[in-house]
Amino acid sequence: MKIVITGGGCREYIDSVRFVTNSSSGRTSAEIADTLAAKGHEITLITAKSAIKPHNSSIALRDFETGAELASALKAELTSHTYDAVIHAAAVSDYVPETVTVGGETIQAGKNGKLHSGGEMTVTFRASPKIADSLHEWAAQGGNASAKIVCFKLTSGADEAEKNRAVTNLFTHSKADFVVYNDLSQITASTHPFKILNANGECVGSGNTNAELAEKLLGIV
């Protein structure tokens, strides 16, 4: 199969040297890519520049920093190449800096020089587009309407009700075929517990490592 995978965290710039990001290392996507490539599948990994990279040299790598760059790279792949599945594991920022106020002056956030330090800085954020919501559309534009879409949902210390709401909400707005769910409080250096749910809320796979996750994903896509 031909599979495109995303991974790593987005950097959203306040100025040329300051940015907000998240704790995603890209390890999960790198290990999934390595496992699937080792089985002979053709893998394209769109990953953050700062993320952990896979070892298999057959994997085609594309990089990004911001959510906008990730969206652009993913759209280009899906609209111009044939893929059997999309595994969207990247940690996309929910909010991005829009304006910065320093010393009474408000300017547009972004890579537009280094702001002076000292004093107070106020950053206003705006909601960012949900890349997951466009995956089916982009895939269809590239003749990949039958491609399976897998999205990821990470919570932190969530109870069962919170988990169910988060997963249901993701299914509702993305129309994903499957959602991989895990909670940050359960992840350690050696274990990465997960559940894979289908659109009916049924668990179709579970395990405790990224290697197991790759095997389960291969079985459903």
Side-chain angles (χ1 to χ4, degrees):
M1 293 188 293
K2 289 185 64 176
I3 301 172
V4 61
I5 303 171
T6 69
C10 296
R11 290 181 174 183
E12 303 298 347
Y13 281 83
I14 295 172
D15 64 13
S16 294
V17 298
R18 301 178 180 94
F19 55 81
V20 291
T21 187
N22 53 62
S23 61
S24 175
S25 67
R27 183 184 302 277
T28 295
S29 59
E31 293 184 1
I32 291 172
D34 271 331
T35 300
L36 299 187
K39 293 181 177 295
H41 300 287
E42 187 175 339
I43 306 300
T44 296
L45 175 61
I46 305 174
T47 184
K49 288 182 178 179
S50 59
I52 293 171
K53 301 301 188 291
H55 301 293
N56 195 307
S57 60
S58 71
I59 297 169
L61 294 178
R62 311 280 186 269
D63 62 29
F64 69 88
E65 279 196 304
T66 67
E69 291 173 355
L70 169 58
S72 178
L74 189 49
K75 181 179 180 179
E77 286 296 323
L78 291 177
T79 56
S80 60
H81 300 283
T82 300
Y83 284 102
D84 299 294
V86 182
I87 299 175
H88 182 41
V92 182
S93 303
D94 291 319
Y95 298 93
V96 299
E98 183 170 42
T99 60
V100 185
T101 302
V102 181
E105 180 184 2
T106 300
I107 63 171
Q108 195 72 28
K111 295 183 182 181
N112 47 14
K114 181 180 182 295
L115 296 170
H116 295 295
S117 58
E120 293 186 353
M121 172 187 291
T122 301
V123 182
T124 301
F125 291 79
R126 60 175 171 79
S128 59
K130 300 289 187 184
I131 293 177
D133 294 2
S134 298
L135 296 179
H136 272 299
E137 177 186 348
W138 294 339
Q141 289 174 8
N144 301 307
S146 62
K148 293 293 190 296
I149 305 296
V150 182
C151 293
F152 280 59
K153 173 54 67 175
L154 175 70
T155 56
S156 182
D159 58 27
E160 194 67 16
E162 289 178 282
K163 181 268 288 186
N164 289 335
R165 283 195 296 270
V167 171
T168 298
N169 183 53
L170 178 54
F171 270 122
T172 298
H173 64 73
S174 71
K175 303 297 187 292
D177 297 291
F178 301 96
V179 168
V180 177
Y181 166 78
N182 41 36
D183 191 275
L184 187 62
S185 66
Q186 299 175 335
I187 297 173
T188 69
S190 58
T191 62
H192 199 103
F194 68 88
K195 289 184 179 180
I196 305 175
L197 307 175
N198 64 18
N200 294 322
E202 301 164 334
C203 180
V204 294
S206 62
N208 291 293
T209 66
N210 287 330
E212 289 178 300
L213 174 56
E215 293 285 355
K216 297 292 185 180
L217 289 173
L218 192 57
I220 63 174
V221 301

